[in-house]
Amino acid sequence: MTPPTSPNPLPHPRLPSPVEPVDDDRFHRHGVRLLLKRDDLIHPDLPGNKWRKLAPNLAATTAAGHRTLLTFGGAYSNHLRATAAAGRLLGLGTIGVVRGQELAERPLNASLARCVADGMRLHFVDRATYREKRDPATLARILRAVAPPDGPPETPYVVPEGGSNTAAVRGCVALGHELRQAADVVGVACGTGGTLAGLAAGLAAGQRALGIPVLRGGFLGDEIRTLQEEAFGARRGDWSLDERFHCGGYGRTTPALLAFAEDFEQRHGVPIERLYVAKLLHGLLTLTEEGAFPPGTRVAAVITGTPSP
Ligand SMILES: *Cc1c(COP(=O)(O)O)cnc(C)c1O
């Protein structure tokens, strides 16, 4: 029996995702209307931008006849977890190349344990190798290392760290389209910037996207320009970054950020992912208090994910 085919490789995404106004006097006071773009509700196993970025890559994997998808991430990567879940749902093999050789010696954290439970094979590499993973010779070495010891070698479909390749960036254009009538400014937390690159391309003239990087470093603007050039042939849309809200870098939080996130959850009943979404909302509130948005501005915050296990 052949399984039913569907243009969408993952069944039942909730798209377009809902846009919900929230009643928050800290924004109201400045005449700003805050909206939540609930991408966290798209799919229970692949929430948020991970669905938007993975779906086109999963379609490409199966269309090209690959049975296995290989990708990269850190010890707490939402992207690795989403990829593992997708593999389970679609019956695809998944291999996660994890940054940090030393992790191989330790009990798996909850996030990686979840990946393994979903059938992902993990391959730990040292930080130097991880940094060089885009180098073809390094990638070839990794592929040899993960090949099954017996049986035919497999050629996995390779998705870069964070899932941000051309297909993923194009997949995020729909996020912009869905927000075309809804907002004046759209805020999104950025890791690799792939989501912002696609989102900005999908917005209408007069709308702008505002990225809040969660990594330190100030290199993201160039990477987003490159992602847009690769996906669309040119820079697209009106977007900018505000680099002030990373709280010390990736995976870092401050007591003030955690208190803010908890308070936001209590006020509005929306689960707030701490490493990206909390930083975004905190950044948008700070900007509102600084008067960055004229009265009457509709600011949509993209809720790009759900709290980690
Ligand atoms: C992965 C992730 C991001 C970052 O997306 P990029 O496209 O890499 O910028 C933002 N928010 C959440 C919740 C994520 O899991």
Side-chain angles (χ1 to χ4, degrees):
M1 209 179 92
T2 50
T5 53
S6 136
N8 218 318
L10 291 164
H12 314 308
R14 184 169 174 193
L15 288 171
S17 65
V19 179
E20 297 172 351
V22 286
D23 217 346
D24 193 311
D25 46 312
R26 297 170 298 179
F27 290 85
H28 275 306
R29 197 179 294 149
H30 299 273
V32 171
R33 277 186 282 164
L34 178 67
L35 305 153
L36 304 183
K37 174 64 170 163
R38 296 294 305 273
D39 266 16
D40 55 317
L41 301 177
I42 290 177
H43 193 285
D45 295 310
L46 289 90
N49 61 350
K50 298 304 178 280
W51 193 95
R52 294 191 188 270
K53 290 163 66 169
L54 267 173
N57 276 299
L58 294 162
T61 304
T62 45
H66 295 278
R67 298 300 310 148
T68 305
L69 190 156
L70 177 145
T71 192
F72 306 85
Y76 295 93
S77 166
N78 292 338
H79 166 64
L80 283 187
R81 252 194 347 277
T83 302
R88 168 173 54 78
L89 292 169
L90 295 175
L92 281 176
T94 56
I95 301 171
V97 179
V98 184
R99 178 182 54 230
Q101 184 82 71
E102 73 284 359
L103 295 170
E105 316 297 322
R106 299 187 197 154
L108 295 177
N109 68 39
S111 187
L112 291 176
R114 185 60 191 275
C115 292
V116 170
D118 279 339
M120 180 173 264
R121 278 189 283 147
L122 299 181
H123 177 69
F124 297 90
V125 297
D126 61 63
R127 274 146 220 273
T129 305
Y130 193 86
R131 262 196 306 278
E132 299 300 318
K133 61 193 175 301
R134 290 193 216 188
D135 166 55
T138 305
L139 179 60
R141 253 200 326 279
I142 291 172
L143 289 175
R144 273 198 303 279
V146 300
D150 41 13
E154 48 188 350
T155 45
Y157 181 85
V158 177
V159 172
E161 176 177 38
S164 286
N165 56 10
T166 293
V169 170
R170 290 184 185 144
C172 291
V173 173
L175 170 59
H177 289 165
E178 290 174 26
L179 285 163
R180 278 194 163 194
Q181 314 300 332
D184 305 300
V185 178
V186 180
V188 68
C190 301
T192 62
T195 304
L196 175 63
L199 159 69
L203 292 175
Q207 292 183 293
R208 68 183 177 94
L210 172 61
I212 304 293
V214 306
L215 284 87
R216 256 162 94 115
F219 52 83
L220 200 59
D222 285 341
E223 300 205 346
I224 294 170
R225 273 184 283 280
T226 303
L227 286 169
Q228 287 201 326
E229 275 156 19
E230 287 168 0
F232 311 117
R235 188 173 166 158
R236 287 284 165 88
D238 181 356
W239 59 265
S240 61
L241 300 174
D242 192 322
E243 305 263 4
R244 292 178 294 158
F245 302 110
H246 54 66
C247 294
Y250 183 72
R252 303 285 176 88
T253 58
T254 60
L257 181 79
L258 298 178
F260 168 83
E262 205 161 301
D263 174 68
F264 197 95
E265 287 181 332
Q266 266 156 24
R267 284 176 190 248
H268 303 303
V270 176
I272 298 301
E273 192 275 342
R274 298 301 199 261
L275 303 185
Y276 292 96
V277 178
K279 293 178 183 182
L280 167 68
L281 291 168
H282 183 249
L284 291 178
L285 177 58
T286 304
L287 284 160
T288 297
E289 289 170 342
E290 290 173 351
F293 307 119
T297 305
R298 297 164 303 164
V299 176
V302 185
I303 308 302
T304 40
T306 49
S308 315

